[in-house]
């Protein structure tokens, strides 16, 4: 079953074509990565999927329903959750308050104690989120997205700016999400991509260059030329 389908999405900023006729779909339970150089249009695409940005043309289907006219909260209600390239937390509130707030907003039956214990963060519950490390903040952001009980979660560079240890931690966390949650992840760290994703879509200057499994992407000459280059040899 298609969880997400993107059909002929184009977006211009001023005269600049940031996305051009982008189409692809993601099946239920997939771990899909989107890779591509800076400025390729990845975050713009996520903003269009979540509904914070309107495309110039094209349609977005979530769980079979055309949501192009839906505001973000209606898309979230259908089962879409996202994290941002930059943190989006209540930095002045404690960790526990952030989680409780998210659970309340989402009418969730989850228990904050259980969540924090599960993810080894219970002993930090009283710490203001602004005082947590960058890695922990990204972890909390992921927890807040999970509090929505999403069916599809879209993650924008969850390891951006992280130390190798923090990157490992967040990779493990994403890898351990229940298999029924479909994951779409934008990620620049190729080791993380090849660890997590079963399929990879390559975006280049606003267009899909190719899509395939790890082996296909690693051995694709076009991908190597425009993007992977030395990154591919390292992994
Ligand atoms: N709100 C905006 N207004 C104008 N240009 C934008 C805006 N958002 C993104 N862009 C431009 O669109 C291009 C793609 O950006 P982005 O989607 O953030 O790429 P990526 O996430 O792949 O690095 C960039 O050239 C960026 O400068
Ligand atoms: Mg981006």
């Amino acid at each position: 079953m298609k969880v997400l389908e993107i059909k002929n999405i184009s977006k211009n900023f001023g005269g600049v074509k940031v996305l051009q006729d982008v189409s692809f779909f993601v099946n239920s339970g997939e771990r899909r990565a989107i890779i591509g150089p800076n400025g390729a249009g990845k975050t713009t695409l996520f903003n269009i999927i979540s509904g914070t940005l309107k495309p110039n043309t094209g349609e977005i289907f979530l769980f079979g329903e055309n949501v192009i006219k839906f505001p973000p909260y209606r898309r979230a209600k259908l089962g879409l959750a996202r994290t941002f390239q930059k943190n989006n937390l209540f930095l002045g509130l404690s960790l526990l308050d952030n989680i409780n707030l998210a659970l309340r907003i989402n009418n969730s039956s989850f228990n904050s104690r259980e969540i924090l214990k599960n993810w080894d963060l219970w002993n930090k519950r009283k710490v203001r989120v602004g005082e947590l490390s960058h890695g922990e903040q990204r972890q909390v952001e992921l927890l807040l997205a999970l509090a929505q009980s999403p069916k599809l979660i879209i993650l924008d560079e969850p390891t951006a700016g992280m130390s190798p240890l923090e990157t490992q931690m967040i990779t493990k966390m994403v890898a351990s999400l229940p298999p029924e949650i479909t994951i779409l992840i934008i990620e620049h760290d190729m080791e993380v991509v090849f660890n997590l994703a079963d399929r990879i879509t390559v975006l280049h200057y606003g267009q899909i260059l190719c899509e395939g499994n790890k082996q296909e992407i690693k051995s694709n000459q076009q991908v190597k030329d425009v993007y992977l280059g030395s990154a591919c040899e390292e992994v």
Side-chain angles (χ1 to χ4, degrees), residues 38-39 41-44 85 156-157 186:
N38 263 340
K42 305 180 296 295
T43 297
T44 301
Q85 194 168 352
D156 194 353
E157 298 205 20
I186 294 173

Side-chain angles (χ1 to χ4, degrees), residues 172-186:
K172 231 171 99 182
M173 198 170 162
V174 175
S176 67
L177 294 184
E180 62 273 16
I181 301 182
T182 307
I183 302 174
L184 180 62
I185 179 171
I186 294 173

